[in-house]
Each structure stands twice: as structure tokens, then as C-alpha cells.
Amino acid sequence: MLFSLRSRLMAVFSVLLIIPFAALAYIVSEEATKTIKTSIESGAAQTIEQFASHVVTLLTQVEDTGNQVVSSRTTQEWLNVHLNADNTIQERVLTKQRLREYLSSYAVNTSNGVSISAFAEDAGGLWTQDTTYRSSAWFRNFMEAGKRWTTAHKDPDQSDEYLRTRSVNAYLFPLVQLQSLRNVGFIKVNYPTTLLRDAIEKIRIGRTGRVVLLTKDGESVLDQPLGGQKELVQRGLAHIAAESGEETSGIFPIEEDGGENLIFFRKLPAQEWLIVGMVPEGELYQKITQIRRTILVVTGLLLLLAMLAALWLSAGITKPLSHMGRAMKYVQRGEFGQALQVMPKVREGHSEVDYVIGVFQGMTYRLRELIETEFATNLRRKNAEYKALLLQINPHFYNNTLEIISGLAAMKREDLVMDATEAMGKMMRYSLNLNREWVTVAEEMAYIRDYVLLLGLRHGDRLHVEVEEDPAAAGVRVAKFIIQPLVENAVKYSLEKAGTARVEIRTQAEEERVRLMIRDNGVGMPPELVTDLQAELRGGESVAILSSEGQSIGLRNVLSRCRLAYGEAFEVEIHSQVGEGTEIVLFLPIERG
């Protein structure tokens, strides 16, 4: 037990903490009062200054956000459409939706909870179109006094209910059309009140001292209750206004109820705010009884003891822990072999460090084994899912095709019977060959042409299919059978709508990926279904097919297999309007055969 980490640390702390504190309590004297007093005041002022720097940094970011939003192309396009009376309602709605998406994405990508809204003079807020904000105090201050920085309030013009219920502060920025320099409203950049309030309430000055953020009129910026300190705050603000002049920070005493209070202040001129700290003087300066000039000698001895202790501990603790830290970095990157090479040797003894190293070493071996096992299992699972999904092809299509061939034979249309039989044979050979998981775009499109031929025999003039192939994409390898289910859906739902199906199929090779597009004039998909599909695709490795309750099984089949085949490299765009049609675009990374 003598050489255990616990025993060694207890010995070090006894030397470095207990003895020095006992000595310092004995040697403190009046000679150190001024120095310590200055140090305490400086520390409190530095703490307030650090908070001021935090506020300035945050508000600068908020102000930059307002500038970027106003000057962005999306905002200016919305302004141009909004100000042009000749634009259609569809154009206005589209540009407003783009602006909403831009502001939402901008807010999501920031880590400080900023939310943004735009207010037009003639249309209200962007999110609610509500004009009741005109009766709010922050809007009156902005219009009448030009105050761009608001105090804490709740803003109902937000993108969701959570944002509407939280307390926010905001920066107001004129909304100007850059082409005409016409001011048509303002941008409101909201940031959570708690972002600053939580930080300022953590500042401690003495035991009961506190720090508040105020306007020059004494109003709380962050909705901090002043309680019984309101009179003290007003007297402090009056003194700052009368005595501080051009100084941006300072400390001064104010007598109240028979005792003196120290007031710390820091001005924020750009916002016309003040950071004010208040603490009873007796709490900040405690009586110091004794001191000796030998404090420097004692400090030197303590430093020497700390250095000797550090050298003693480094051999048994620091060095092996440093090696283990390097091993942890390798484990974090998944490089288990390198981690085991640099891991320190486990020595015999009772040291907790050696115990931790031994446990970590065993955990590393076990973790490598589990990851390798999981990887192999995952590969088998994905392969099984792929085969199962590939077999989800509509068997009724082949039954219908056989009936068509039978009808053509009865009408003695031998030429069409031969064409249909040949096309169906090629399709069956292609679809039933499960040994090939990857095909070229040209092979997939050849299958689609045979499929369209059979559909044409069935539906006649009711079906119009336009196929456009990019020769540059012909040799690109893609996962098998990802176009036919989409074409089948396009024909089915287009015929249901108007009796005449118009389907477009296009392939296009881009720099790093191939683009497959299927467009129809069908019934379209509800926005909720499109949102669910995209959410399912983002949330897991494959789209749920068995739990889809018959909704878009073909599309879910395709998305699942693409997700399994390409992982995060797969992207899809779904544009659909109920009653007008659907466009589905698959973006696949290029795999050339």
C-alpha cells in the first residue's frame, strides 16, 4: 500500500497543500493588504472584462449574421420578387419558401441557437405574416430611437413552437434591396437570452455579489430580477453617468444602509449597455492578520518541493500514462495493432496505474475482436438484405405479359408475339440472375427498353415514354434493378390520374457521379410521404419496406438497395406535387466496369 497511487498523492498533497496553507495563515500581515486588495479588484474586473469580451464576440457574430443574410442572393431574390408586382403568386411563394429554408439552414448550422426572421413593411413576419409585432416595445425602440439591440422578450414570429416560447434578445438590421437601396423592412437575428444570462450568473464576486447587464436607463437586458438592489443600481448608474466621462470601465464605492458597496462597471458603447457588478466591501476584503517577509523563501521551497514531487511521480505515473494516451489515440482511429505496440508494459505491483493499463490492454484486444466480428456479420446481413429486396419484383407484370402474348397469338400477330416473347425472355434472364449485383447503365437501360416495349403492347397510345441516354454514362456500374420499379410506379400512377401516361427517363454522367432521372405526370405524392422517405433515408441504413403499409414499396425498395450499396455517397432528390406529377433523381457515385 506504501507505493499505491493513493498513498503517494496523499503524501504530496500533505506537503504541497496542508503545510503551505498553515504557513500562509501564520505569515499573512498588513503589509500584503494593499497588494491582495489590488489583486482581488483586478481579478473581479478581469472577470467582468472577460464576460464583456464574450458579449462583444457574440454580438459581433450576430451582427455579421445580419449582414450576411441581407446581402445573400436568396434574400435579395426574395426582395426582388416581393417588390415586383408583375411576379406571379407561385413565384412569390417559391422565393419565400427558399428564404425560409435558407434562414432555417443557417440557424441549424450555428451552434449558439441563433434564429433569423425577416419583416417586410407590407407583409408582416416571414414565418407567421403577423403584424402584431408593431405594438411591441422593441419595435417602437427601433423605429423611434433607432435601438437595434433589444432586451429580453419572446418572439412569436419563429419557425417552430419551441423557438416561440423561449426568451430571446435580438439584433435588428435594415432590410435593403441592394439594387435600388430601398429599405423595405428589417432582419431580426434572435439569440437565446440564456446564452448570456447563464454566463453572467456564473460570475461570482464575493459571497453575495452579483453582476447584471443593463441598458443606460437601468432596464435589465437579460431579464435579471434586481429585487432590493434596484435603488443601489440606479445610484450606481447616476454616478457612472456623472463621473466616468470617457472611461469604459472602473470601480467605485457607494454607501448604503451603513455599509459600503463596491460597484464594478464596464461600458458596451456600441449597444449602449453596461455590465454592472455589486458586492459589499466587507465580503471582498477580509482582514489579513500577519505576514512575514520570508514568504518568498517559503514560495521558493514550495516550488522546489513541487518540482521534486513531479520528478518522483513522473517515473511511475506520467510516463506510462503518456504512452497509454498515445495508444488511446490509435484506438480512437481504429488502429488497434499500432495501439498495442506503443502500449506500456504492465509491471508487477499494486499501482493503480498498472491496473488501468492492464484493463485497457485487455479491453483493446476484446474491442478489436468484437469490431472484426461485427464487420463480418454486417457484411453478411447487408448481402442478405440486398438479395431479399432484389426479389421484391411484381409477379403480376409477367402474368399480364403472358396474357398479352396470348391475345396477340389469337390475333395471329406473329411479329409482335416474337418481339414480346424475346423481350420477356431477356427480362427474365436479367432479373433472375442473382449472381450479378452490379451492372452497367447500358445494361440497365436495355432492360428498361424491353420493359417499355411490353408496357406499350399493353397500354397502346395511352403510354408515351421518352428515353434519353448519355453515352458517357453507359459504362458506369450501378446497383442492379434500380430504375424499373420507379418506371413502373410512374406508369401506374400516371394512368390512374388522366388515363394517359407521359414518362421521361434520362441518364447523365457528371464529374464524380451519375444522374438517373424519372419524371411522370401522375397523381404525385403528398408532402408528408416525401418528408417521411427522406427522414427514413437520413435516419438509418435502409428505408423501412416491411413497415411501409403498402405506400411506395417500389420506391422504398430502390432507396433501400441504393443505401445498402452506396452508403453515405448515395443522394436522392424527390420533387412531387399532388395532381401534377413526380420527379425522382438518383445521384450515384461512379463505379466503372
Side-chain angles (χ1 to χ4, degrees):
M1 294 298 293
L2 180 62
F3 297 98
S4 68
L5 179 60
R6 179 180 179 182
S7 299
R8 293 158 72 181
L9 288 177
M10 286 179 63
V12 171
F13 286 151
S14 297
V15 173
L16 297 181
L17 295 178
I18 298 176
I19 296 177
F21 279 130
L24 287 174
Y26 175 75
I27 63 176
V28 172
S29 72
E30 292 295 331
E31 294 181 12
T33 302
K34 294 182 179 179
T35 302
I36 297 175
K37 178 179 178 180
T38 302
S39 176
I40 293 174
E41 291 179 355
S42 176
Q46 286 179 3
T47 302
I48 292 177
E49 185 64 33
Q50 289 174 357
F51 176 73
S53 298
H54 171 64
V55 174
V56 170
T57 300
L58 173 64
L59 299 187
T60 300
Q61 293 175 354
V62 170
E63 189 171 356
D64 290 342
T65 298
N67 284 317
Q68 292 172 8
V69 170
V70 170
S71 60
S72 71
R73 185 175 65 181
T74 303
T75 304
Q76 291 300 315
E77 287 178 354
W78 174 66
L79 287 177
N80 293 336
V81 172
H82 184 74
L83 294 175
N84 189 350
D86 296 331
N87 288 311
T88 64
I89 295 178
Q90 290 81 359
E91 291 175 329
R92 293 173 180 269
V93 172
L94 181 60
T95 54
K96 179 179 287 188
Q97 182 61 30
R98 288 175 181 168
L99 181 59
R100 285 180 173 177
E101 293 173 355
Y102 168 69
L103 297 183
S104 296
S105 65
Y106 198 102
V108 168
N109 291 331
T110 58
S111 60
N112 51 18
V114 167
S115 62
I116 310 168
S117 184
F119 295 80
E121 294 178 349
D122 57 345
L126 177 70
W127 301 102
T128 63
Q129 289 78 49
D130 189 4
T131 59
T132 56
Y133 68 91
R134 295 175 180 173
S135 61
S136 63
W138 58 263
F139 179 74
R140 291 196 303 270
N141 290 335
F142 174 63
M143 297 301 295
E144 298 171 5
K147 294 183 179 179
R148 294 191 178 186
W149 299 96
T150 74
T151 57
H153 63 281
K154 292 184 179 180
D155 189 354
D157 193 82
Q158 301 280 327
S159 58
D160 60 54
E161 188 61 31
Y162 166 74
L163 297 178
R164 298 187 188 105
T165 57
R166 69 176 185 175
S167 179
V168 298
N169 292 69
Y171 173 69
L172 307 178
F173 194 92
L175 186 57
V176 178
Q177 185 190 32
L178 298 181
Q179 292 180 351
S180 62
L181 298 180
R182 178 180 173 185
N183 187 350
V184 296
F186 60 93
I187 291 290
K188 187 168 184 284
V189 184
N190 297 315
Y191 58 94
T193 300
T194 55
L195 206 60
L196 294 179
R197 188 168 60 196
D198 291 348
I200 198 171
E201 289 180 352
K202 291 178 181 178
I203 300 176
R204 291 290 179 265
I205 305 177
R207 182 171 54 84
T208 62
R210 59 179 306 204
V211 180
V212 293
L213 183 60
L214 306 171
T215 67
K216 65 179 182 179
D217 301 322
E219 182 181 2
S220 175
V221 174
L222 304 176
D223 200 21
Q224 296 174 273
L226 299 179
Q229 296 176 314
K230 190 171 183 180
E231 182 179 352
L232 177 63
V233 167
Q234 292 298 332
R235 292 177 60 191
L237 292 178
H239 184 278
I240 294 172
E243 304 292 338
S244 65
E246 298 297 325
E247 294 179 356
T248 59
S249 61
I251 307 171
F252 58 90
I254 290 184
E255 187 171 351
E256 184 183 52
D257 296 333
E260 280 197 340
N261 292 270
L262 280 181
I263 305 296
F264 298 78
F265 72 93
R266 169 65 161 85
K267 296 180 181 178
L268 300 174
Q271 292 78 31
E272 296 185 332
W273 292 350
L274 295 98
I275 304 172
V276 178
M278 302 162 288
V279 60
E281 191 175 26
E283 287 185 16
L284 203 58
Y285 308 138
Q286 295 181 355
K287 185 177 180 181
I288 303 172
T289 58
Q290 296 177 345
I291 192 169
R292 293 179 181 178
R293 294 181 179 179
T294 55
I295 189 169
L296 293 177
V297 177
V298 173
T299 302
L301 290 174
L302 292 176
L303 180 60
L304 179 61
L305 288 173
M307 292 176 61
L308 294 174
L311 291 174
W312 179 55
L313 289 173
S314 63
I317 299 177
T318 307
K319 187 175 180 180
L321 288 180
S322 176
H323 286 292
M324 193 169 73
R326 291 175 56 194
M328 286 180 174
K329 291 181 180 179
Y330 283 117
V331 171
Q332 187 179 28
R333 296 198 296 263
E335 302 173 1
F336 297 101
Q338 292 86 336
L340 292 172
Q341 289 178 3
V342 302
M343 196 171 294
K345 302 294 184 181
V346 179
R347 301 170 299 179
E348 295 183 358
H350 301 285
S351 170
E352 288 85 347
V353 174
D354 294 320
Y355 174 76
V356 170
I357 293 173
V359 171
F360 182 71
Q361 188 178 64
M363 183 184 68
T364 302
Y365 280 111
R366 183 59 177 164
L367 183 61
R368 181 174 64 175
E369 179 183 353
L370 289 174
I371 289 178
E372 291 175 351
T373 303
E374 176 64 18
F375 182 75
T377 303
N378 196 41
L379 285 179
R380 291 193 295 269
R381 179 180 62 81
K382 284 191 174 184
N383 187 55
E385 289 179 350
Y386 170 79
K387 295 288 180 65
L389 291 171
L390 193 60
L391 289 173
Q392 291 187 5
I393 309 303
N394 189 358
H396 298 293
F397 172 77
Y398 293 114
N399 293 333
N400 294 335
T401 302
L402 291 174
E403 292 178 1
I404 292 172
I405 294 175
S406 175
L408 292 173
M411 293 186 292
K412 301 187 181 299
R413 295 296 305 273
E414 292 83 358
D415 53 341
L416 295 180
V417 170
M418 293 179 62
D419 292 341
T421 304
E422 181 181 1
M424 182 175 177
K426 290 191 293 183
M427 289 179 61
M428 294 185 68
R429 284 193 299 273
Y430 182 84
S431 61
L432 295 177
N433 183 8
L434 298 181
N435 294 325
R436 293 186 63 194
E437 298 179 0
W438 297 87
V439 296
T440 64
V441 173
E443 291 174 315
E444 186 78 353
M445 293 305 297
Y447 176 86
I448 292 300
R449 291 186 181 276
D450 290 331
Y451 179 69
V452 170
L453 172 64
L454 296 178
L455 288 178
L457 293 176
R458 179 181 178 186
H459 299 293
D461 294 338
R462 297 172 59 208
L463 176 63
H464 300 276
V465 180
E466 178 182 343
V467 180
E468 182 179 323
E469 297 186 55
D470 183 356
V476 176
R477 295 175 67 248
V478 296
K480 185 178 179 183
F481 230 110
I482 60 174
I483 301 180
Q484 185 272 342
L486 304 183
V487 175
E488 180 180 357
N489 281 351
V491 173
K492 174 183 175 181
Y493 293 115
S494 297
L495 291 173
E496 285 183 2
K497 174 194 170 187
T500 300
R502 298 187 181 276
V503 180
E504 299 178 29
I505 308 169
R506 286 184 170 80
T507 66
Q508 182 180 354
E510 299 179 352
E511 291 184 1
E512 300 294 336
R513 60 186 183 178
V514 64
R515 182 176 183 269
L516 306 178
M517 185 275 288
I518 296 91
R519 181 188 297 139
D520 63 62
N521 64 333
V523 297
M525 290 188 288
E528 297 81 8
L529 179 57
V530 175
T531 302
D532 290 344
L533 289 172
Q534 292 174 338
E536 290 173 7
L537 195 62
R538 290 192 302 269
E541 291 189 350
S542 59
V543 177
I545 295 176
L546 298 178
S547 61
S548 60
E549 300 181 355
Q551 295 184 351
S552 302
I553 293 179
L555 175 57
R556 293 174 187 266
N557 183 299
V558 171
L559 297 181
S560 293
R561 289 192 284 113
C562 288
R563 181 70 175 188
L564 290 173
Y566 300 106
E568 296 294 336
F570 167 64
E571 296 180 19
V572 62
E573 291 182 359
I574 303 175
H575 308 285
S576 183
Q577 292 188 358
V578 176
E580 296 187 11
T582 301
E583 177 182 295
I584 299 174
V585 184
L586 307 179
F587 295 96
L588 312 177
I590 288 184
E591 296 280 349
R592 297 190 180 274

